[in-house]
Amino acid sequence: MSQTKMLKVRVTLFCILAGIVLALTAVVTDHWAVLSPHMEHHNTTCEAAHFGLWRICTKRIPMDDSKTCGPITLPGEKNCSYFRHFNPGESSEIFEFTTQKEYSISAAAIAIFSLGFIILGSLCVLLSLGKKRDYLLRPASMFYAFAGLCILVSVEVMRQSVKRMIDSEDTVWIEYYYSWSFACACAAFVLLFLRGLALLLFSLPRMPRNPWESCMDAEPEH
């Protein structure tokens, strides 16, 4: 592999590493979406919530003069619990109303698949560093691209879950917005998918410029 192509591969791998960090951050944090309830004029506090793939956190926040709930960063009493289908022994009635079980399990499972592809891709990259196994960069690039696609699907499943929670009559939430964990997941998709395809292009052998180039470059027979 030429020096120019090796430099491109290294830059691409650095971008992929950034995508891996963002993907891990999105999976382990619980700020995918922030939910706000319907407010009554006589209330002095409100209970906002934010959640991720594994758990939901509620926070009791003092209301301001505008009678709006939030922002979620305000100080208040916080209570976090894992979703009941991930922790059956935990008693938390809020999960029966504020999460759609099928959507939550699907988003988490797809995110796990994404991490699995990331691990496989990283193993291929590590193996390619020894004894100049450049051909291992090609399966690594595909694993990273598949990881990005899985993250995209997980993001869409989570988006549908939030929409169903807002539209449901069994919940108190009427307003929502996506938070920084959701942004991390979207950025991870862009970096992993696009840079995975770029890594595939950079790792492919150079095609001959003309039909007889490979013959001209061949070593003479003795």
Side-chain angles (χ1 to χ4, degrees):
M1 185 179 293
S2 65
Q3 292 295 328
T4 302
K5 185 175 287 189
M6 181 60 69
L7 178 60
K8 292 180 180 179
V9 169
R10 290 176 179 175
V11 173
T12 301
L13 289 176
F14 179 79
C15 295
I16 288 175
L17 178 61
I20 293 173
V21 173
L22 290 172
L24 292 175
T25 301
V27 170
V28 301
T29 55
D30 44 34
H31 285 77
W32 284 63
V34 177
L35 309 173
S36 299
H38 175 71
M39 303 308 305
E40 300 290 345
H41 293 292
H42 60 271
N43 286 353
T44 59
T45 61
C46 63
E47 193 173 61
H50 62 85
F51 72 100
L53 297 174
W54 314 103
R55 68 174 187 171
I56 187 170
C57 296
T58 59
K59 180 184 284 189
R60 189 167 295 279
I61 304 173
M63 290 179 57
D64 55 18
D65 296 335
S66 61
K67 297 298 180 182
T68 59
C69 188
I72 196 72
T73 54
L74 290 175
E77 181 183 352
K78 188 175 181 179
N79 180 28
C80 295
S81 299
Y82 287 93
F83 291 138
R84 177 172 293 180
H85 40 272
F86 295 129
N87 191 4
E90 186 173 342
S91 59
S92 183
E93 296 297 331
I94 192 172
F95 299 137
E96 294 296 328
F97 304 102
T98 61
T99 185
Q100 308 295 329
K101 181 177 179 179
E102 295 81 6
Y103 281 95
S104 180
I105 293 177
S106 298
I110 296 170
I112 293 298
F113 278 118
S114 175
L115 296 183
F117 283 129
I118 287 175
I119 292 173
L120 291 175
S122 300
L123 288 175
C124 289
V125 170
L126 292 176
L127 291 174
S128 70
L129 299 178
K131 297 182 180 179
K132 298 191 179 297
R133 300 187 181 97
D134 296 336
Y135 60 89
L136 289 177
L137 293 176
R138 298 164 204 167
S141 65
M142 298 307 298
F143 286 135
Y144 288 134
F146 290 151
L149 288 177
C150 286
I151 292 177
L152 177 64
V153 175
S154 184
V155 165
E156 177 59 23
V157 172
M158 180 64 72
R159 195 180 68 85
Q160 294 296 327
S161 176
V162 172
K163 186 177 183 300
R164 287 196 60 179
M165 280 192 286
I166 296 299
D167 294 340
S168 175
E169 297 180 355
D170 296 327
T171 64
V172 298
W173 320 113
I174 61 170
E175 295 180 358
Y176 72 95
Y177 64 88
Y178 298 107
S179 192
W180 56 269
S181 296
F182 188 88
C184 286
C186 294
F189 156 69
V190 174
L191 289 174
L192 289 174
F193 182 72
L194 296 183
R195 288 300 177 176
L197 295 181
L199 181 62
L200 177 62
L201 294 177
F202 295 149
S203 61
L204 289 175
R206 185 175 67 86
M207 298 296 293
R209 293 190 181 91
N210 48 62
W212 58 85
E213 181 180 5
S214 57
C215 297
M216 298 291 292
D217 292 340
E219 294 184 1
E221 296 181 359
H222 298 285

